[in-house]
Structures are given as structure tokens and as C-alpha cells.
Amino acid sequence: MTLDELCTALELRDAGDHQTADIIRQTRSHLIDTGEDPYEAFGHPRDYAKQYAPHSTPVRFWALVIGSLVLATTGGWLLTNGIINLVGGNTVLWGLSPVVGIIVGSLLIVTWMAALVTVGVRHTRQRRIRN
């Protein structure tokens, strides 16, 4: 285990900056004082970080990633196909007008951007409260 790995593991678990710095300082001091192997002394960084920051957000993170992927790709596909089919005079999907594809695609992209902004603002507020 390196201290960088531990720092990353703590950040992924949303540990506060002061808490992370304190844990890293204590870990570094212990390793210097004892000369132990970091993996033998503390185990895997991910497991060690769980002790200090048990409330993990990987589930929310992956939900955001998957939601972003679905909203952005579907919205982009509908928007692009709507524009192409508007010019070509074809239907987009299920016999819908290209204008419907453009509107729905645009709404999905706006929803995706709003979700990212909301998550970012919420994360920033939580970090301020913890620190």
C-alpha cells in the first residue's frame, strides 16, 4: 500500500480533506516508526479506508455514470437523427416526426446536464460541511 493509494481510497469514500490528511499523517508516522510493510500493517487501502469513511458512494457514483451514459447517448442519438431526418424528410423512431426526436433528444441532454450540475453542487456543499 502506498500513501497515494490510501489517499485515493479515502477520496473515493468521500472522506473530508482534514480527515484524509490526518489519516495519511498517522499512517506515514506508523510506517516510519515501525518499518513495517504497509500491506501487513494496514491491509489493502480500500479496506483500511472503510474503517475511517464507512459511508461509501460507489453506488451513487455508478448510478450517475450509467444514468449519464443513457441520457447523453439516447439524447444525442435522438437529436442527431432528428436533425438528419428533418433535412431528409424521413421519420425518426416509431413513425414520429423528426421535430419530436429533436425536442426529446434536447430534453434528455438538458436533463443530463441538470443532473450533473445538481450532483456537483450537492457534493461541493457536503464537502464544505464536513471540512
Side-chain angles (χ1 to χ4, degrees):
M1 168 173 81
T2 67
L3 295 177
D4 289 336
E5 290 173 328
L6 178 57
C7 185
T8 301
L10 289 165
E11 287 174 358
L12 287 174
R13 300 190 72 76
D14 281 341
D17 293 337
H18 296 299
Q19 182 184 20
T20 300
D22 188 45
I23 294 167
I24 296 294
R25 187 174 32 258
Q26 290 176 13
T27 305
R28 179 183 294 124
S29 175
H30 177 83
L31 293 174
I32 291 171
D33 291 346
T34 63
E36 288 182 86
D37 176 63
Y39 280 98
E40 288 179 15
F42 301 107
H44 195 280
R46 180 181 51 234
D47 297 330
Y48 189 60
K50 281 182 191 177
Q51 297 174 19
Y52 294 100
H55 301 293
S56 179
T57 58
V59 171
R60 282 186 273 165
F61 170 76
W62 285 111
L64 177 64
V65 169
I66 292 168
S68 293
L69 184 65
V70 169
L71 287 172
T73 55
T74 304
W77 183 80
L78 284 171
L79 180 62
T80 303
N81 279 311
I83 292 170
I84 291 170
N85 290 320
L86 184 65
V87 172
N90 300 327
T91 58
V92 177
L93 187 61
W94 301 306
L96 297 174
S97 164
V99 174
V100 173
I102 292 170
I103 292 169
V104 171
S106 299
L107 287 174
L108 288 174
I109 291 172
V110 167
T111 302
W112 168 60
M113 291 187 301
L116 290 180
V117 168
T118 302
V119 168
V121 168
R122 185 175 299 153
H123 182 71
T124 302
R125 285 183 185 162
Q126 288 174 350
R127 281 190 94 65
R128 282 186 196 148
I129 291 169
R130 271 188 261 134
N131 293 328

